[in-house]
Amino acid sequence: MKISVLVVDGTFDSGLASVLDVLQTANELREELPQPPPAWQVSCVSPHGPVRTAAGHVVAAVAPEAAPAPDLLVVPGVGHKRPEPLLQWVTSPERKPVQDVVRQARADGVPLAAACTGTFLLAETGVLDGLPATTSWWLAPPFRLRYPQVALDETHMLTHAPGVTTAGAAMAHLDLALSLVRESSPALADLTARYLLIDTRPTQASYAVPSHLARTDPAVSAFERWVRDHLDQPLRIADAARAQGTSERTLQRAVDRVLGISPLRFAQRIRLEQAAHLLRTTDLPTDAVARSVGYENATTLTTLLRERLDTTPGRLRRQALGRT
């Protein structure tokens, strides 16, 4: 498979390196399998020639038309961590040549893959319209507001749509690259993950900080504070709205607009975040932890932790002790 990796000035160093290192490692491990898949031929491409990464390293790159016709175009993230500079970057007229590369690849039927902030570049070109996608969990609110036509779910580590794969924050570049290897050989992907010590991480939900997400909107932030002040009490959205001097419907619209979920679902995220913190840092029985965050018993809490965060009370306690 011929893979073109689209690099731009400000490319996130570890994201780019993760993609290149995983594919190179897979190439080196191929012969350990009885029936190895074909090797990957990787080219760094840029419409501007050599580029300088976010950390100041120079990456050699060739023009897209000078590289072998790709079977896949990969778009790593860029180094912006905050919404404002990222949106300024992705909407700048200077990005047009890069966006044209993405649009041309899509028009030619070349599959696309992007991770972290690279998903903004795909969304800006319109290739994600009407498709499911994920992105860096902390950038989900501005992504959702600018690209409402994209079916965003930032809890996913990886999202697959016809001809497009997107991945979550920063180190999700590893997950993205492994998924590319897995498409050719699940056995080789597993072997590569073992060599590089990459764990399976199906969701970003356990990493997300609800208070950070809520901070982007005053109404959502006020609701988040209200939930934290009433963690051990039954949740009534009408009471929360009344305390904020607004209607239940207005509150629901605000949370959905910013976070893409209902107030109830967001409150559950907050409660599960606090429960996970208590399980990792205290010796409280699981029943006591459950009651402290508004659930009747350990069974309810365990079910929600498994469904929403892909973990269990026992696993959280073992992780806190340094055991898997």
Side-chain angles (χ1 to χ4, degrees), residues 73 75 90 102 112-114 117-129 147 164-166:
L73 179 68
V75 184
V90 78
V102 173
L112 306 172
T117 48
T119 59
F120 278 72
L121 186 60
L122 261 60
E124 190 67 24
T125 67
V127 302
L128 293 181
D129 289 0
Y147 311 114
V164 183
T165 300
T166 53

Side-chain angles (χ1 to χ4, degrees), residues 256-274:
D256 180 70
R257 183 184 69 254
V258 175
L259 304 177
I261 55 177
S262 67
L264 176 60
R265 190 67 175 261
F266 183 51
Q268 287 179 336
R269 284 190 185 180
I270 296 169
R271 289 181 167 186
L272 293 177
E273 176 203 41
Q274 177 64 13

Side-chain angles (χ1 to χ4, degrees), residues 19-320:
V19 173
L20 298 179
D21 285 345
V22 167
L23 295 174
Q24 179 61 32
T25 301
N27 273 340
E28 294 174 357
L29 296 175
R30 289 171 49 252
E31 298 305 326
E32 296 195 21
L33 300 180
Q35 296 179 321
W40 286 267
Q41 181 180 344
V42 183
S43 302
C44 287
V45 301
S46 169
H48 304 295
V51 302
R52 190 172 294 276
T53 69
H57 299 104
V58 176
V59 176
V62 299
E65 59 271 17
D71 301 304
L72 174 73
L73 179 68
V74 179
V75 184
V78 292
H80 296 297
K81 308 298 189 300
R82 307 298 302 166
E84 294 81 6
L86 174 60
L87 289 173
Q88 289 174 4
W89 179 87
V90 78
T91 58
S92 168
E94 296 178 3
R95 300 289 87 75
K96 185 179 184 303
V98 179
Q99 293 175 10
D100 287 344
V101 174
V102 173
R103 292 191 182 95
Q104 188 61 54
R106 185 63 165 170
D108 292 341
V110 176
L112 306 172
C116 193
T117 48
T119 59
F120 278 72
L121 186 60
L122 261 60
E124 190 67 24
T125 67
V127 302
L128 293 181
D129 289 0
L131 298 178
T134 189
T135 191
S136 304
W137 64 262
W138 73 89
L139 292 171
F143 186 106
R144 187 172 282 110
L145 290 173
R146 179 159 183 83
Y147 311 114
Q149 64 274 40
V150 180
L152 183 71
D153 187 344
E154 69 276 16
T155 64
H156 290 177
M157 192 70 73
L158 284 171
T159 298
H160 301 281
V164 183
T165 300
T166 53
M171 293 300 106
H173 285 86
L174 291 169
D175 304 82
L176 178 66
L178 272 180
S179 76
L180 304 179
V181 176
R182 186 167 287 110
E183 288 181 6
S184 293
S185 172
L188 182 56
D190 291 341
L191 183 61
T192 302
R194 287 176 179 271
Y195 266 75
L196 297 179
L197 298 182
I198 304 173
D199 294 326
T200 300
R201 301 170 299 169
T203 177
Q204 293 188 93
S206 60
Y207 300 91
V209 181
S211 58
H212 182 98
L213 296 172
R215 202 178 303 152
T216 58
D217 182 273
V220 180
S221 182
F223 175 63
E224 185 255 348
R225 291 194 299 271
W226 187 91
V227 171
R228 291 190 185 278
D229 289 341
H230 300 80
L231 273 179
D232 61 345
Q233 301 172 23
L235 177 65
R236 297 184 179 88
I237 303 302
D239 291 345
R242 192 177 304 110
Q244 294 177 229
T246 188
S247 69
E248 185 174 351
R249 184 174 180 181
T250 298
L251 176 61
Q252 289 175 338
R253 284 201 302 263
V255 176
D256 180 70
R257 183 184 69 254
V258 175
L259 304 177
I261 55 177
S262 67
L264 176 60
R265 190 67 175 261
F266 183 51
Q268 287 179 336
R269 284 190 185 180
I270 296 169
R271 289 181 167 186
L272 293 177
E273 176 203 41
Q274 177 64 13
H277 171 73
L278 292 174
L279 289 166
R280 284 192 296 257
T281 60
T282 74
D283 294 325
L284 285 172
T286 305
D287 264 323
V289 172
R291 289 193 295 273
S292 74
V293 296
Y295 297 119
E296 291 184 357
N297 51 54
T299 300
T300 301
L301 175 60
T302 299
T303 299
L304 288 170
L305 284 170
R306 185 179 293 111
E307 290 179 352
R308 303 292 165 78
L309 302 185
D310 192 41
T311 191
T312 64
R315 190 181 305 164
L316 289 166
R317 293 193 191 277
R318 290 194 297 272
Q319 288 173 347

